[in-house]
């Protein structure tokens, strides 16, 4: 889940209720008046029933990149402008199954990789540290771009994927043409993660404390299917997904490194696990909460049950052309899968921001 621990973690308990204008999202463009500052727009999109999900992926591709062999789905013309879409925990590439064809139809080349510890992505060496700290996931994506000879891409994501996209946009803006980030600015630090929250906010992070224990690691390993399904239900309380939809994604959690990566990620955030020294300088830069200068659209679902910062708390972290959109219709944490048209529209529109 997203851990938006930056300059004010108390924003997690801030009410994000906004007065929204009722205007629909289409795949033809967004109002030009929404192009600057924090603009809130309601885009009512009905919750998609799993039976209505019409798209899947063809054969996945595999490529050695950095310390990984990365599995990824690809859609759209090979010579189209590149969009890289990044999932989070406990989700996978199927969060973008209905986003991908919408973008491909508009001429984009869409790349959707499994993050380390998910699906067909695996480590090239058994000796490599199974590290889940925030910086390494971004380095994985840069390595993938290098191997695929992608100089610059629009990058979008949610949860871990939004944080990864934020990091790339902040640290390597020359590689990120534009950004779409669900729940906004999610770059964190171990120091911020050590700050206590009010009790109600701490309650939302129950699984993080569970993972900090050996019992939690064993419990997640033993029950990763049911545990992750519970997270889906809590994070998207109005999304009536069926077993087939969940099970399609849950198969990716059988990756042999999945539990190690997830546990290290959450323990690292609390300062309970060490990162690798070679990433210390990068983590120091991220701990300073660098401003993101690339054109950006941030999104939030109106029924996100996962911890997330209020839009007003991060608006100033984006110095380029920027807009925020709140998506109505009972949309939860897995926004790309629950509201694919709204997410795809954000990608198209932020490309227009970039010019």
């Amino acid at each position: 889940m997203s851990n938006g621990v930056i300059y004010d973690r108390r924003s997690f308990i801030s009410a994000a209720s906004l007065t929204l204008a009722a205007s629909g999202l289409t795949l033809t463009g967004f109002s030009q008046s929404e192009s600057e500052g924090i603009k809130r727009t309601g885009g009512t999109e009905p919750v998609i029933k799993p039976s209505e999900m019409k798209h899947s992926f063809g054969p996945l591709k595999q490529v050695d990149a950095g310390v990984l062999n990365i599995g990824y789905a690809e859609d759209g013309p090979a010579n189209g402008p590149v969009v890289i879409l990044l999932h989070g925990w406990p989700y996978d590439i199927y969060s973008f199954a209905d986003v991908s064809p919408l973008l491909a139809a508009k001429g984009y080349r869409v790349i959707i990789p499994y993050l380390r510890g998910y699906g067909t992505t695996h480590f090239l060496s058994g000796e490599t540290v199974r590290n889940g700290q925030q910086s390494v996931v971004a380095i994985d994506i840069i390595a993938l771009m290098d191997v695929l000879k992608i100089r610059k891409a629009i990058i979008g994501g949610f949860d871990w994927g939004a944080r990864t996209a934020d990091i790339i946009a902040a640290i390597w803006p020359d590689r990120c043409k534009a950004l779409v980030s669900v729940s906004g600015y999610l770059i964190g630090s171990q120091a911020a993660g050590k700050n206590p929250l009010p009790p109600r906010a701490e309650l939302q992070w129950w699984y993080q404390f569970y993972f900090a224990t050996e019992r939690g690691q064993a419990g997640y390993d033993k029950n990763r299917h049911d545990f992750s399904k519970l997270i889906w239900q809590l994070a998207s309380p109005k999304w009536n997904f069926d077993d087939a939809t969940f099970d399609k994604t849950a198969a990716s959690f059988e990756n042999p490194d999945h539990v190690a990566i997830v546990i290290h990620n959450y323990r690292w955030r609390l300062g309970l696990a060490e990162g690798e020294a070679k990433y210390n300088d990068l983590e120091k830069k991220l701990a300073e909460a660098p401003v993101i200068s690339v054109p950006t659209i941030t999104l939030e679902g109106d029924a996100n049950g996962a911890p997330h910062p209020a839009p007003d708390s991060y608006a100033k972290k984006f110095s380029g052309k920027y807009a925020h959109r709140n998506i109505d219709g009972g949309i939860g944490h897995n926004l790309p899968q629950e509201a694919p048209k709204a997410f795809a529209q954000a990608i198209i529109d932020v490309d227009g921001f970039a010019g």
Side-chain angles (χ1 to χ4, degrees):
M1 310 293 274
S2 302
N3 186 356
V5 283
I6 54 172
Y7 46 93
D8 182 10
R9 288 186 78 218
R10 286 168 177 77
S11 63
F12 282 120
I13 60 170
S14 299
S17 57
L18 306 172
T19 303
L20 305 170
S23 61
L25 290 174
T26 67
L27 289 177
T28 58
F30 202 75
S31 170
Q32 190 171 359
S33 65
E34 307 264 342
S35 64
E36 296 180 359
I38 178 165
K39 304 294 184 183
R40 304 179 182 86
T41 300
T44 301
E45 177 157 350
V47 176
I48 288 185
K49 296 178 181 179
S51 60
E52 295 173 349
M53 188 177 298
K54 298 180 173 62
H55 302 100
S56 188
F57 298 114
L60 297 183
K61 299 182 178 182
Q62 300 286 146
V63 65
D64 289 351
V67 300
L68 299 172
N69 178 272
I70 296 178
Y72 65 97
E74 183 168 354
D75 199 359
N79 62 347
V82 180
V83 176
I84 297 175
L85 303 178
L86 304 174
H87 68 83
W89 174 84
Y91 306 95
D92 79 336
I93 64 174
Y94 283 98
S95 289
F96 301 103
D98 287 335
V99 173
S100 179
L102 295 175
L103 295 176
K106 292 292 183 177
Y108 291 97
R109 178 189 179 191
V110 186
I111 306 291
I112 312 172
Y114 280 114
L115 301 188
R116 56 170 57 195
Y118 295 81
T120 61
T121 292
H122 61 270
F123 287 88
L124 296 173
S125 170
E127 304 301 316
T128 304
V129 177
R130 272 40 178 178
N131 182 349
Q133 72 185 98
Q134 62 177 353
S135 58
V136 300
V137 185
I139 289 171
D140 292 342
I141 303 306
I142 293 294
L144 176 63
M145 293 175 69
D146 288 344
V147 169
L148 297 181
K149 302 187 185 307
I150 297 169
R151 180 58 196 166
K152 205 166 191 175
I154 301 169
I155 305 178
F158 73 106
D159 199 85
W160 290 20
R163 179 177 302 104
T164 302
D166 288 347
I167 291 171
I168 294 172
I171 303 299
W172 298 282
D174 59 319
R175 308 301 299 273
C176 182
K177 180 182 181 183
L179 170 69
V180 171
S181 179
V182 176
S183 297
Y185 189 94
L186 299 177
I187 298 173
S189 72
Q190 287 184 314
K194 292 178 181 179
N195 294 330
L197 297 171
R200 192 172 297 276
E202 296 283 20
L203 179 62
Q204 289 188 297
W205 290 107
W206 64 272
Y207 56 88
Q208 183 169 246
F209 300 110
Y210 181 65
F211 289 163
T213 68
E214 293 308 303
R215 173 175 171 162
Q217 179 171 349
Y220 183 57
D221 191 10
K222 180 179 180 180
N223 302 298
R224 64 183 84 175
H225 180 281
D226 291 347
F227 193 103
S228 298
K229 190 172 186 178
L230 174 62
I231 295 294
W232 276 38
Q233 292 165 342
L234 295 175
S236 298
K238 296 186 178 182
W239 185 33
N240 297 316
F241 60 88
D242 61 11
D243 288 344
T245 297
F246 174 75
D247 289 344
K248 185 176 288 188
T249 285
S252 72
F253 310 149
E254 296 305 313
N255 183 295
D257 299 305
H258 177 74
V259 173
I261 295 298
V262 170
I263 296 300
H264 186 266
N265 178 282
Y266 286 102
R267 290 184 180 179
W268 179 87
R269 298 189 200 192
L270 294 176
L272 301 177
E274 295 292 329
E276 293 180 79
K278 60 185 175 180
Y279 304 120
N280 285 351
D281 288 344
L282 178 52
E283 292 294 350
K284 287 179 182 178
K285 292 180 181 178
L286 297 174
E288 296 171 355
V291 170
I292 293 173
S293 61
V294 306
T296 299
I297 292 176
T298 57
L299 303 172
E300 191 58 78
D302 66 335
N304 186 356
H308 60 280
D312 287 336
S313 73
Y314 55 70
K316 292 182 179 179
K317 301 306 293 183
F318 301 97
S319 64
K321 200 167 186 179
Y322 173 66
H324 175 78
R325 299 177 183 176
N326 199 75
I327 310 303
D328 294 335
I331 305 303
H333 190 62
N334 187 2
L335 192 149
Q337 194 162 355
E338 298 174 60
K341 292 181 181 178
F343 191 90
Q345 186 65 56
I347 293 289
I348 294 165
D349 291 346
V350 83
D351 189 14
F353 284 13

